[in-house]
Structures are given as C-alpha cells and as structure tokens.
Amino acid sequence: MSVSALGAILALVVAIVLILKKVPPTYAMIAGAVVGGLIGGAGLANTVTYMINGTKDIVSAIIRIVAAGVLAGALIKSGAAARIANSIVEKLGDKNSLLAMTLATWLLTAIGVFGDVAIITVSPIAIQIAQKTGYKKLGILLAMIGGVKAGNVMSPNPNGIAAAETFHVPLTSMMAAGIPAALTAIVITTLLAKGLAYKGTDVVADSDGADTVLLPSLAGALTGPLVTIMLLLLRPVAGITIDPLIALPVGGLVGMAVMGKLKDFVSYLEFGLGKMSGVAMLLIGTGTLAGIIANSTLKEVIVQLLQKAGLPGFLLAPISGTLMGAASASSTAGTTLASQIFGDTILSYGVAALAAGAMIHAGSFVFDGLPHGSFFHVSAGCVNMKINERLKLIAYESFIGICMVTVSTIVYGVIKIAG
C-alpha cells in the first residue's frame, strides 16, 4: 500500500519542525516517517516495514562512513588538518588571504575532514588575518563556507560515499565528478567574499590561533589522504579494487605512522568514531524517512510536474538533490534521501549512474546551510557571529550552491560528459 503524496510531504514537514524545536535529527526524522506513513494511509504495519527497508538500503554506506572515521581522526587529532591550513595561508599571504581561507577549507574537506571541523580549524587563522587586514565577519565566513562546499562536493566524506554507494559507482569517480562544481564554487566564492570583505560586524579575536609548535610536517600531514586516494585510484588505473572500507582506514593508519603518532592511535580512533557515529545515526533517521517517501506517490507527482512543464527528465536529479538538501539542511542527508527516493526514476530516463549521482550531490549543497541544520550554527559560532547576521549569508551561500548545481547539470545532464 503506497503512502500518499500528502503523507510524504507531512513526513518532511514534521521532521523539519521537530529539528527546529531542537529534537535530535535522528528522532525527528523517525517521528516524521511514522506520522507521514500513518497519515498517508499506509497503516502501522506497512509504515514500520517501509522504515526498516529504507534503513537497510543505506547500511553499506553507513559501514563505510564509520570506517572513514580512522582517516578523519588522524587528520584532525594529529594536527595534520591545522598544518595543511596554516601552510596554504602562509604561502598565499595577506594579499590573497580570502582566497587562502577558501582554499584551506576546500582542501581540508576534499581530503576527508568534515565541513564543520574544517571551518573550525581555519577560523582562528581567519580571525587573525581579519584583525590585520580590517576584513569583517561576513567576508571571511563566506570565504570559508564556499571552501567547504567546494571541498565537500569532491570528497570521500559521508555525502560522497552515500552518492557512490547508492548509484554503485567508484568513490573516486564520484569525487572526480564533483570537480566542475568545486571549481565553480571556488571562483564564485572568491568574487562574493571580496564584495563582502568590509561588510558586517568587526572581527574580535578571542583566540591565539592554532598552535603550530607540535604540528606535523606538511609532508606527513598529507600522507594519509594521499595513500587513501592512491589506493582508491587502483581500480580505474590498474583494475584492482580496494574498497573505501579498506582504503580510508589504511590511509589513516599510514598517516599516523609517518607522523609518528601510532602511540596515540586509540584516541584518534575514538575521536574519529565519535565524529562518524553522529553521521551514522543521522543516516538511520534519514533511511526511515527515505523508506516512507520512496513508497509514496510523491515521486510521481514531481515527475508529472516536470512533464507538464516540458522539462527533460534529467532535471529530476538536481531538483531532487536541492529539495532534499533543503528539507534536511544537510548535504549528506539530502544526497542520501534524493538518491534513495528518486535514483531509479532518474536512471529510467537514460541518465548514467555517475551523472545522476553527480547532479544530485551538487544539488544538495544549495540549501544545506539553512538554520535547521547544525552547520549554520557551527559556522556562526566559529567567528562569534550573531544569528541575525548569519542569516544574511544564506542568500550568498545558496547562490554559490545554485552555480554549482547549474554547472554540474550542464556538464552531466546537457553535455552528458559521463554518458
């Protein structure tokens, strides 16, 4: 028995309202799924079945995301992420400091650091620079947010893993497919950040910045990510498949060894697992919600609207990614929801799996920074920005996301680079 389109919409609305009420997102999505299934006419038994089946579909992605915690823990706890960020800013200097902030957060997220951690890592450096240059909060924060978007769309982070898993394509291919959107984000962010450089409230330093005394060498800091990428590249280059479940932890462990940090590997693993467990729990809630919506008539309603408007079928990919990203205020949850719910329908239009995943993934970054998501508040807090000022950036960061998904759609939907 299908869930009505109204039930699917109510499932999303209830989840969003509960998240805004500070209910943990996992429970909010589970509650939304239950309400949507019951009101949508599925009955209690079918509602539970749909929720469980939806969660089953993303278990493999969850396992790989947990494994990614080894690399994330190594990068963050060892100081590798801070060393990489410091090196970029030092090389580019104060004259190009806004670009340096963008590139620093881009590289950190691109090699596997969470977006919120990347922006927290770079923000003390950004605050110091702003003190010297007179830059305001809006400019430096947008520079870092744009960098996070650029890095995340081509990273081995949970969002990239979720897209690769759902469409059964190599993680390296999904990462490479995000490059056009990433380059777009860097260019647009640089232009917008310059325009906002002297707008907003003054930056007040409350930190002495990152401690560089005990940080590893740049070569050591980059070892873990490079090993991971090399292992993943063995599939397209030599036909040897090393699953991310293996490549990500191995990269993290090799990085620890090169940096002389193996004695601390237990604490690094605990930290990485702590970071990933939150995402894993989020995806469990996402799976229950996806199960309800996937078994609803909402897909047919959206497809019919596209057909009546005379729009090509491939547009379902970027549109669904954008909508689900907005509903969850999370690129990971948005990518997972859109891929699970609309993936088969998109492929039925003849869209290649990699192209579908790339367009959905890029779309998830349009509204992933809305106030009902954690990134909105983490990013504001890292530069001591008040909520009313942080709200002013939503239009700018959403514009960056729109440019990203537009380029991705042109490349993979119109030109069909990926087939």
Side-chain angles (χ1 to χ4, degrees):
M1 182 180 295
S2 295
V3 178
S4 68
L6 175 62
I9 293 171
L10 283 175
L12 288 169
V13 171
V14 169
I16 292 171
V17 170
L18 290 176
I19 291 171
L20 288 172
K21 294 291 185 180
K22 307 302 181 182
V23 174
T26 300
Y27 289 130
M29 291 186 182
I30 291 174
V34 172
V35 172
L38 294 177
I39 294 180
L44 184 59
N46 284 330
T47 295
V48 172
T49 299
Y50 295 155
M51 291 169 65
I52 292 174
N53 288 340
T55 304
K56 286 180 180 178
D57 290 339
I58 60 174
V59 168
S60 60
I62 291 174
I63 294 173
R64 289 172 175 83
I65 286 167
V66 170
V70 179
L71 177 60
L75 287 170
I76 299 164
K77 289 290 284 182
S78 67
R83 166 59 70 197
I84 293 168
N86 286 346
S87 298
I88 292 174
V89 173
E90 289 171 3
K91 292 293 183 183
L92 291 179
D94 289 347
K95 183 179 179 181
N96 299 304
S97 56
L98 287 173
L99 175 60
M101 296 174 203
T102 299
L103 293 179
T105 48
W106 159 73
L107 184 57
L108 292 184
T109 47
I111 62 176
V113 177
F114 274 26
D116 57 349
V117 175
I119 208 167
I120 290 171
T121 302
V122 177
S123 60
I125 310 169
I127 289 172
Q128 286 184 320
I129 292 172
Q131 287 285 295
K132 291 190 291 184
T133 59
Y135 290 155
K136 308 293 186 180
K137 289 181 182 179
L138 288 177
I140 65 170
L141 185 54
L142 185 67
M144 292 186 285
I145 290 173
V148 167
K149 288 180 182 289
N152 253 338
V153 79
M154 53 175 291
S155 75
N157 273 335
N159 38 286
I161 292 173
E165 283 293 305
T166 304
F167 288 100
H168 307 291
V169 298
L171 179 56
T172 45
S173 297
M174 189 59 65
M175 291 164 64
I179 292 176
L183 293 175
T184 301
I186 291 172
V187 172
I188 300 300
T189 298
T190 301
L191 296 174
L192 292 178
K194 284 184 178 179
L196 291 176
Y198 298 103
K199 295 182 180 180
T201 56
D202 292 332
V203 175
V204 179
D206 63 350
S207 167
D208 292 329
D211 180 11
T212 60
V213 177
L214 300 177
L215 297 183
S217 67
L218 181 59
L222 289 170
T223 299
L226 289 176
V227 169
T228 298
I229 292 172
M230 288 172 61
L231 290 174
L232 293 172
L233 283 174
L234 287 176
R235 176 171 177 171
V237 172
I240 302 172
T241 301
I242 306 294
D243 195 277
L245 182 64
I246 305 299
L248 290 161
V250 168
L253 290 171
V254 171
M256 291 181 210
V258 171
M259 292 184 289
K261 301 290 187 179
L262 276 179
K263 63 181 182 299
D264 301 313
F265 85 99
V266 172
S267 65
Y268 291 2
L269 294 182
E270 290 175 345
F271 180 85
L273 181 60
K275 279 292 176 185
M276 295 300 172
S277 61
V279 179
M281 294 305 298
L282 172 67
L283 287 186
I284 289 174
T286 301
T288 63
L289 195 58
I292 294 298
I293 301 174
N295 287 281
S296 74
T297 58
L298 181 62
K299 289 183 296 182
E300 287 74 15
V301 171
I302 294 176
V303 170
Q304 289 172 8
L305 289 174
L306 283 175
Q307 292 174 341
K308 288 181 179 179
L311 298 174
F314 68 77
L315 285 181
L316 182 58
I319 290 173
S320 63
T322 301
L323 291 176
M324 295 301 106
S328 59
S330 163
S331 59
T332 300
T335 299
T336 304
L337 282 169
S339 300
Q340 291 288 333
I341 297 166
F342 299 97
D344 290 340
T345 304
I346 295 167
L347 296 179
S348 71
Y349 286 110
V351 180
L354 180 59
M359 288 187 284
I360 284 177
H361 195 198
S364 73
F365 293 99
V366 177
F367 297 116
D368 64 327
L370 293 179
H372 58 286
S374 61
F375 183 74
F376 175 92
H377 301 281
V378 170
S379 58
C382 73
V383 293
N384 301 310
M385 180 181 284
K386 293 183 178 179
I387 297 302
N388 61 343
E389 186 174 12
R390 177 64 180 86
L391 288 169
K392 296 177 182 178
L393 281 181
I394 290 179
Y396 294 96
E397 59 185 299
S398 296
F399 180 71
I400 294 170
I402 289 170
C403 293
M404 290 169 67
V405 72
T406 299
V407 168
S408 185
T409 302
I410 292 172
V411 172
Y412 301 110
V414 179
I415 303 176
K416 299 183 178 179
I417 295 296

